[in-house]
Amino acid sequence: MTIVILSLDPAPSTEHDRRIMNRTIAAGMLALLICAMPLHAADEPIKWKKIVLSTTFYSEGANFGDFNHDGKMDVVSGPYWYEGPDFNPQKRHEFMPVESFKPDGQYSKNFFAFSYDFNGDGWDDIMIIGFPGQDAAWYENPKGKEGHWVRHEIYDNVDDESPQFGDLFKNGKPVIVCCSHGHIGYVQQEDSDPTQPWKFHAVSPKGNYQKFTHGIGFGDVNGDGRNDILEATGWWEQPESVDGKTLWKKHEVQFFDPKQGNGGSQMYAYDVNGDGRPDVICALGAHKYGLAWFEQKMDGTFEQHLIMGEKPEDNPQGVVFSEPHAVDLIDVNGDGLMDIVTGKRHFAHGSHGDPDAMAPSVLYWFELKRDNGKVSYTAHKIDDDSGVGTQVIARRIDGQKIPSIVVGNKNGTFVFVPETGQ
């Protein structure tokens, strides 16, 4: 049993001190919780069963959702949704016009898939974000009827290669976090009718943000309880009151490696080392190399810690692969710590467009461990013939102890479900 002792000043004198004290208490409570939790057996490797739903290139993204309202998660990828929990490729349903593409030399018009009940009827709908710079539209679930779902375009210009769809304002109403027309910002529903156009709100002045900008995300960076927006060149602080017009304050930080490009993947704020201060996790270059976490110091600056670089010696297990274009964050083994799921994007720019383009399209999870204040990530291979797209989703479904993972990319569509008993 581990005992955590918190030593705190009895009366913090400033708001900053109070925040630090609250973070320290939270970190200590989390440590106690982790010590009490039953863990996945340390010597037992986690194994997944690989299900190949398709070997055709339809999309660069895929996701989970309960589309037939049976209480079990299904999968959406490209123009089809596939029935869970068995994910039999023969049990697929076409919800939009079918269009396939050549893996070497063509690009999909379907880059991201999200599921959400947009109209509040109790049935999961599907949102598709197209090629960068194109529109976002949601497809209305017909409640068990076959045929194409009714399409509702909600915004015409979603830029960035890693847009997020989530609860930015912690009010239960997800928004699209993205770039548009040169700004960083978010797209939200403002009409009571979700089929009407949504509105983009800029949080930044106009800058060099465009459809092929890499890296974006959101999370509470400064510990004030409000989610901020992360991007490759810094983070934008959510003000205490949001009116949709006032620009947010930018904190300049280089969350990328210039040698690897100008940005990476989906970005996350998470307290990696347990010191009570949120850190940042992201890929360093979407089309080259690098995965890192950035430690937030007491003064608000960040220090980069490399998880995987461009050489085998940059990783303790000697793991190296290019193009970690998609990243998800989830507690894989149930130890209370958030792990990283990522891999190599297959043929992002074709067979000759990027470093090591012909290397195996691997999928990995990186296990976070803490030891007396020291942090390490252990790389575990999941697969070597799937990879990621611009999106990779890991999620516990149907009461699983270990999350399932879904990928849609130029290699096809794949689901990884934990082996029986895990």
Side-chain angles (χ1 to χ4, degrees):
M1 177 178 178
T2 301
I3 299 176
V4 177
I5 300 175
L6 301 179
S7 177
L8 301 172
D9 291 336
S13 58
T14 67
E15 178 62 26
H16 179 265
D17 291 338
R18 281 191 289 273
R19 286 185 186 174
I20 296 300
M21 183 183 75
N22 290 337
R23 293 173 188 163
T24 306
I25 291 173
M29 295 297 291
L30 179 60
L32 287 171
L33 178 63
I34 290 170
C35 293
M37 290 178 64
L39 306 181
H40 187 274
D43 297 330
E44 180 184 349
I46 296 176
K47 296 181 180 179
W48 282 268
K49 175 185 176 182
K50 179 181 180 180
I51 302 173
V52 180
L53 293 179
S54 172
T55 56
T56 301
F57 172 34
Y58 294 115
S59 67
E60 291 280 7
N63 218 317
F64 295 103
D66 181 8
F67 305 119
N68 56 0
H69 207 56
D70 66 351
K72 301 293 184 181
M73 284 291 119
D74 311 304
V75 157
V76 55
S77 180
Y80 301 106
W81 69 269
Y82 302 82
E83 294 182 28
D86 297 330
F87 302 113
N88 183 332
Q90 302 304 315
K91 294 182 178 181
R92 72 180 188 183
H93 304 265
E94 183 181 320
F95 75 94
M96 65 181 295
V98 176
E99 189 171 7
S100 62
F101 308 89
K102 296 178 181 178
D104 194 357
Q106 288 189 330
Y107 298 93
S108 172
K109 296 177 183 178
N110 184 326
F111 261 56
F112 296 89
F114 299 96
S115 64
Y116 181 71
D117 180 8
F118 287 91
N119 56 4
D121 64 359
W123 291 68
D124 282 350
D125 307 301
I126 296 168
M127 181 171 72
I128 299 296
I129 298 179
F131 188 82
Q134 294 183 351
D135 65 11
W138 67 274
Y139 292 76
E140 185 173 349
N141 194 321
K143 301 179 182 179
K145 297 179 181 178
E146 292 295 331
H148 290 174
W149 298 12
V150 176
R151 183 181 192 269
H152 304 286
E153 181 181 322
I154 54 176
Y155 190 65
D156 64 354
N157 179 238
V158 179
D159 288 341
D160 194 283
E161 292 199 26
S162 310
Q164 301 260 25
F165 181 64
D167 196 358
L168 175 65
F169 296 110
K170 301 184 179 181
N171 59 5
K173 299 177 181 179
V175 303
I176 303 170
V177 180
C178 63
C179 309
S180 188
H181 300 293
H183 301 267
I184 294 278
Y186 58 93
V187 180
Q188 72 175 7
Q189 177 187 339
E190 303 202 345
D191 192 284
S192 59
D193 181 355
T195 69
Q196 295 302 303
W198 293 21
K199 186 176 180 180
F200 178 77
H201 296 274
V203 306
S204 78
K206 190 167 186 178
N208 190 29
Y209 303 111
Q210 38 81 29
K211 60 184 180 180
F212 299 129
T213 294
H214 288 87
I216 201 167
F218 66 91
D220 184 1
V221 178
N222 58 355
D224 64 0
R226 298 185 292 272
N227 281 328
D228 311 297
I229 293 181
L230 292 154
E231 48 109 342
T233 65
W235 62 279
W236 297 86
E237 182 179 351
Q238 184 180 150
E240 186 174 351
S241 178
V242 176
D243 59 14
K245 300 176 182 178
T246 305
L247 300 184
W248 298 10
K249 178 182 178 181
K250 185 180 184 184
H251 301 263
E252 297 278 350
V253 186
Q254 184 175 289
F255 292 125
F256 66 101
D257 183 345
K259 295 185 299 182
Q260 308 301 341
N262 57 4
S265 61
Q266 291 83 3
M267 304 174 69
Y268 302 91
Y270 175 66
D271 183 5
V272 173
N273 56 3
D275 65 0
R277 293 185 295 275
D279 309 301
V280 172
I281 297 170
C282 61
L284 296 178
H287 295 290
K288 292 188 179 180
Y289 298 91
L291 180 68
W293 70 279
F294 292 80
E295 179 184 2
Q296 185 172 180
K297 300 295 187 177
M298 286 286 290
D299 61 359
T301 60
F302 288 82
E303 178 185 355
Q304 177 186 302
H305 298 275
L306 198 62
I307 299 171
M308 179 184 67
E310 61 181 6
K311 303 184 295 295
E313 51 266 35
D314 293 332
N315 175 266
Q317 290 75 47
V319 172
V320 58
F321 55 83
S322 63
E323 300 192 89
H325 204 297
V327 172
D328 202 2
L329 198 65
I330 191 170
D331 177 7
V332 171
N333 55 0
D335 65 356
L337 302 179
M338 299 294 276
D339 308 300
I340 299 169
V341 177
T342 187
K344 176 181 174 62
R345 183 178 169 194
H346 181 75
F347 275 21
H349 296 132
S351 58
H352 299 89
D354 302 288
D356 292 331
M358 298 299 293
S361 298
V362 294
L363 182 65
Y364 271 85
W365 74 280
F366 290 80
E367 178 184 4
L368 172 60
K369 296 180 181 179
R370 296 176 185 159
D371 183 12
N372 294 322
K374 295 182 179 180
V375 166
S376 66
Y377 278 95
T378 302
H380 303 276
K381 184 189 290 185
I382 300 170
D383 186 58
D384 62 4
D385 189 19
S386 53
V388 299
T390 52
Q391 188 178 32
V392 60
I393 299 294
R395 182 174 175 183
R396 282 180 172 78
I397 62 174
D398 308 332
Q400 294 173 340
K401 297 179 182 179
I402 305 298
S404 291
I405 303 167
V406 63
V407 172
N409 63 9
K410 293 185 177 183
N411 223 359
T413 297
F414 311 91
V415 180
F416 297 86
V417 296
E419 295 282 7
T420 304
Q422 296 197 28

